[in-house]
Amino acid sequence: MKKISLDIQQFQIKVSMALKDNNTDNAIKICQEHLDKNFEKWIIFETLAFIYLIRSEWLNSSNFSEKALSLNKNSAQSWSTLGIAFKNLGRYKKALSAYKQSIEINPTSELVLSNMGLVLWKLNRNEEAKLALKKALEIRQSFPEAAYNLGKVYESENKIDDSILYFKEAIKIRNNYSEAIVDLSICLDKKGNTIEAIRLLEESVDNKINTPLIIKNLIYLKGKICDWTKQNLIEESLKELGIKGKAISPMGLMAYEDSPEKHLIRAQRFWEQNFIEESTKMPLNMNKKIRVGYFSADFNEHAVMHLMTRVFELHNKDKFSIYCFSFGNKPEDRYKERIVNSVNRFLDVKDKKDIEISKISRELKIDIAIDLMGYSKNSRPKIFAYRAAPIQISYLGFPGTMGAKSIDYIIADKYLIPEESKNFYSEKIIYMPNCYQCNDDKLLPSSSQYSKQLLGINNNDFVFSCFNANYKITPKEFNIWIRLLKKIDKSVLWLVKSNQFSEINLKNILVKEGIDPKRIIFSEYIKIEDHLSRLKISDLHLDTFNYNAGATALFSLKAGVPILTKTGRSYTARMATSILKSLGLNELITTTEYEYENVAYHLATNSELLNEIKLKVNRLLKSEFFNSSNFTNDLEEIYIKLNNK
């Protein structure tokens, strides 16, 4: 027995040395060489399971854990490793079962309790999750992972004060805990403490804790409040952010550079590192009526539904069965009511796992699955990795490529994605015969009356407006807008108020430029029909460059207000161009900053020309472009062709 113990000890030393050198290949080789030795094989299997865990090879890890446990069911370590492997494979119930077995053998393992709490949270068993995590913290008070996981549970319950408390506790224990720093910054921002969130991230970067997610969130938050200090850091970071190292979602960076090449690389790397292609191509279902499934968390009052709801209502129910898969958690509202009443089935799947939603879709024999979210907030791309339908399409909610093999198509038009840009998209391009963007022809300005005087604007002032979210504004646009205000004395700039900090920062810039800050007006978001009425006060909508107006461009035109854009190369930088080109409003499309500024000045100082364009816009409101039936018919023709391939 002593000889066997000595052999085991020498074996473990050899493996430890290999792992210390980060040489997992050698560690595996050592294990294989010892399989024929005269001591218990479960130890080798357990060691192999651990090595594959280090390599993030979850399936191999689970297989060797199970081999070890078949020989020794009393190894807490093997049960724990199996739980971790199952957790990372998304098999949460099996992971929980493994952790419970480990805890029975070793009830005081704070690490297993913490991991178990995380899995319970994933299974929506939050109270049990909190108990497990708090017990882990009782055993070891200085346990940053348990504090962090507890913060995540409270964050998911929207108990932001509690989540902030535990994220801070995790960082106090480990000051370079980057995940906790990112999540703390997100929660601080949710509480309206955006300045504190930015300070936290900047201090982290100064202390060389500058992971891709910290940098990305810093760029996003500074952009959100129009804080344009340290632009050099941002520009330098964008060169490799998400291109090398840890993958990050392209969402959140699209406003800061116009680079379809980088958007594709980021999207592909993000998909590859976060979503396993779990299912291969499926045969077509050949239903009598084509079954179309729309997937979203935003079937409520939301910009996407301001455009899409009429399409749901107009779908030909003699030829199509329309299903909506809703995984949002928003309260009932008038838009949700319209959608529910217009489709064949509205399925509330918010409490289902991604694989379960995908399975439900396949059981319902959905022919075409439309992802209305992509990588946007609250999206669930894994549903499509499991393949919810034989044909899967990305549309509208995410302005760019998904970089995913399981997303077969993206809906666009020849202006949004020109022929020469097709290779920047992993999807096949579906070209609508006209504009890619649908619209609701029932959505009209309300009868509410608004005036310049009501907003504190002189009746003779020229009103430049931009109702794009403030984060889309960059110094490039704003410097042009400042020059326009300087050149045209009786002019004002009218913006949406995204947050209090962007208003302060932009007004401060005007003061530094010697312009009365009263010449920039901020208005709150209001009901969409009232917004269309209020927009009529504007004389000219000025678009942002890297991330254009999408739905906002359409709303501006519906109010009879021309929108001036600068066309770029990316999807986000061509949305307004697509709408204007489709309407024949080429005079409102520019290609350089110089041209954009000159056209804006010319329109603002030539009332006759501007009025001609306004008359043209108002005539176009009666055109086929704004007929929702036409768009829906075109879309259905595409669905039929795809299903008949």
Side-chain angles (χ1 to χ4, degrees), residues 447-497:
S447 58
S448 300
Q449 297 296 310
Y450 295 89
S451 65
K452 289 183 178 179
Q453 192 176 4
L454 203 63
L455 291 174
I457 303 170
N458 294 325
N459 283 332
N460 295 329
D461 285 352
F462 187 92
V463 180
F464 292 110
S465 67
C466 180
F467 271 77
N468 299 0
N470 295 164
Y471 77 88
K472 295 182 180 182
I473 303 169
T474 72
K476 288 182 179 179
E477 297 95 331
F478 201 70
N479 287 336
I480 291 171
W481 300 350
I482 285 171
R483 289 196 292 272
L484 289 169
L485 291 177
K486 285 181 176 180
K487 289 176 189 175
I488 304 165
D489 289 334
K490 290 188 175 181
S491 67
V492 296
L493 179 61
W494 183 27
L495 306 177
V496 68
K497 183 178 179 177

Side-chain angles (χ1 to χ4, degrees), residues 66-80:
E66 286 174 333
K67 281 186 177 183
L69 289 163
S70 70
L71 299 172
N72 179 15
K73 291 190 182 298
N74 294 317
S75 171
Q77 178 61 51
S78 288
W79 284 116
S80 174

Side-chain angles (χ1 to χ4, degrees), residues 24 127 201 214 223 265 271 273 404 410 448 454 539 551 568 582 592 599:
T24 54
E127 292 309 312
L201 295 169
I214 285 176
I265 294 168
W271 181 270
Q273 290 187 27
I410 185 171
S448 300
L454 203 63
D539 293 299
S582 300
T592 66
V599 172

